[in-house]
Amino acid sequence: MTEVKREVFGQMPREEGGGMVEKFILKSDSVKVEILSLGCIIATLETKGRDGEFSDVVLGFDTLEGYTRKHPFFGTVVGRVANRIAKGRFSVDGKEYQLFLNNGPNSLHGGARGFDKVLWSPQVLPNGVCFFRLSPDGEEGYPGDLKVWVTYTLSGGELAINYRAQTSKTTPINLTNHAYFNLAGQGSRDIYDHEISIEADSYLPVDDTKIPTGEVAAVQGTSFDLRQPVELGKHLQKFHLDGFDHNFCLQQVQARRLVARARHPLTGRAMEVHTTQPGIQFYTGNNLDGSLKGKGAIAYPKHAAFCLETQNWPDAVNKLHFPNALLRPGEEYNHTTWLVFSAA
């Protein structure tokens, strides 16, 4: 059985439009997750280790104030389009659209005020919570009134995140959750002792602004071959890598499949990622630098966490040979990702 509770988390500042932020607590025997109505943020995710003790394995803040200030999308749902759009530009049906540039020369994670920075309308479910919002035509430069539903449900050790959307005009869409994980427990120094594997035969090389070049490259014989588990610290050292921030190309099927696994041998905690999405962005917290203090006033240094963001490929709206990024009126965008936590 999953227990669902709701409580007030805080009040948005007046300059952010005010409004009450609620926290929804989903609890099973093995997982406890706290989700905010601001940005559908996973603020806490506690899971058992081999010793039976719970530990919070996601980065974030103790108070609302942390989330209303600038932060690197801790736990948020990002959209309308997660990841990068080159030069913030795309064309739909012959019309060109220009987005706000918030990542060097590119647009990232929905723009200046994306889905991560707005209040969503919650509805409590027997085993979770469903958040809804209407993104109006022209918001952040995107066409069409977009209705979006993000549903979190917890069953035992499995947290499911379902994304649905419908639009009044053809629009690009790409939704994901940007949780930062450290299975040793948030606030642990780094993720070097984690074992990571990703079920991908190819990945997308990027230019120096992190935009895919268009090549779909084989992982075979490269540092991107993560089909067998690697110990992250040793792997980064061996290949002289600063870290990962790349899209791995998954099997192009709309069915649920296992795409990635992370394991922390010391605590026995493991997380499997299953999804219907065509890609997964593996990011190792390269831009964390210790300047942000999170829960318990702990500083988050470089490589303090990893993200496994299931999504469409970056800049897919501008690359015709990438999976389709457009949602048309009358269609429904519908993707699910399952995070399965265990300890052994």
Side-chain angles (χ1 to χ4, degrees):
M1 279 297 291
T2 300
E3 200 185 303
V4 183
K5 291 204 301 227
R6 71 193 294 177
E7 52 189 57
V8 174
F9 187 64
Q11 194 77 22
M12 288 294 281
R14 200 176 299 155
E15 61 274 17
E16 291 281 328
M20 184 178 70
V21 179
E22 286 188 283
K23 175 167 80 175
F24 296 83
I25 302 152
L26 319 184
K27 196 165 179 255
S28 72
D29 290 343
S30 55
V31 172
K32 177 183 162 196
V33 58
E34 299 182 356
I35 305 157
L36 308 182
S37 56
L38 170 69
C40 306
I41 290 170
I42 295 177
T44 301
L45 201 159
E46 294 181 12
T47 174
K48 277 183 184 173
R50 191 188 293 118
D51 57 6
E53 295 294 308
F54 279 93
S55 221
D56 182 6
V57 297
V58 294
L59 273 51
F61 303 101
D62 293 319
T63 62
L64 178 60
E65 201 186 357
Y67 292 108
T68 56
R69 290 198 295 252
K70 189 172 162 55
H71 68 95
F73 304 96
F74 286 149
T76 61
V77 162
V78 287
R80 271 184 204 193
V81 175
N83 219 308
R84 293 168 180 86
I85 293 179
K87 301 186 172 60
R89 257 189 246 139
F90 63 90
S91 290
V92 173
D93 301 333
K95 184 173 179 198
E96 187 161 289
Y97 294 86
Q98 178 65 56
L99 308 171
F100 184 75
L101 305 180
N102 62 335
N103 186 246
N106 307 315
S107 180
L108 176 72
H109 292 332
R113 194 165 187 262
F115 288 4
D116 58 297
K117 295 178 183 72
V118 293
L119 281 176
W120 295 62
S121 305
Q123 183 193 348
V124 171
L125 307 172
N127 61 341
V129 58
C130 176
F131 296 100
F132 170 80
R133 83 173 293 254
L134 172 69
S135 171
D137 185 16
E139 181 173 63
E140 285 298 323
Y142 288 99
D145 285 330
L146 187 74
K147 292 178 179 168
V148 191
W149 296 263
V150 177
T151 305
Y152 291 90
T153 47
L154 180 64
S155 171
E158 178 175 281
L159 178 67
I161 313 172
N162 173 257
Y163 307 90
R164 284 172 53 222
Q166 297 161 358
T167 186
S168 64
K169 291 181 188 168
T170 302
T171 185
I173 181 170
N174 182 23
L175 302 176
T176 192
N177 179 284
H178 208 309
Y180 285 68
F181 294 97
N182 187 321
L183 298 179
Q186 75 83 31
S188 300
R189 249 208 85 69
D190 56 55
I191 45 172
Y192 299 143
D193 56 354
H194 283 56
E195 291 171 0
I196 303 280
S197 58
I198 298 176
E199 299 279 332
D201 297 331
S202 53
Y203 77 100
L204 300 180
V206 292
D207 67 17
D208 56 6
T209 73
K210 301 278 197 298
I211 293 288
T213 60
E215 182 193 356
V216 180
V219 300
Q220 181 78 39
T222 74
S223 58
F224 295 90
D225 193 345
L226 304 177
R227 292 173 295 185
Q228 295 299 317
V230 302
E231 190 181 316
L232 196 58
K234 286 182 180 160
H235 187 79
L236 294 179
Q237 254 180 334
K238 176 182 170 184
F239 289 98
H240 308 293
L241 297 176
D242 184 51
F244 287 96
D245 190 2
H246 294 80
N247 177 80
F248 287 75
C249 308
L250 307 174
Q251 273 180 304
Q252 302 293 298
V253 286
Q254 262 263 253
R256 171 177 175 159
R257 63 237 184 265
L258 172 65
V259 297
R261 192 161 188 268
R263 187 171 160 265
H264 185 246
L266 204 63
T267 59
R269 279 193 197 89
M271 176 177 88
E272 286 181 357
V273 182
H274 301 244
T275 193
T276 59
Q277 290 274 25
I280 188 165
Q281 185 87 4
F282 179 38
Y283 173 55
T284 49
N286 317 326
N287 297 324
L288 298 173
D289 60 6
S291 61
L292 267 185
K293 287 192 167 50
K295 297 169 197 172
I298 293 168
Y300 292 142
K302 184 174 179 169
H303 300 155
F306 65 89
C307 306
L308 285 165
E309 304 156 66
T310 54
Q311 54 183 261
N312 198 351
W313 301 2
D315 200 34
V317 70
N318 290 314
K319 307 243 186 336
L320 291 178
H321 59 297
F322 282 11
N324 170 49
L326 295 176
L327 179 67
R328 299 184 182 278
E331 298 174 346
E332 182 170 84
Y333 175 92
N334 193 334
H335 279 290
T336 307
T337 292
W338 297 264
L339 303 175
V340 185
F341 297 92
S342 60

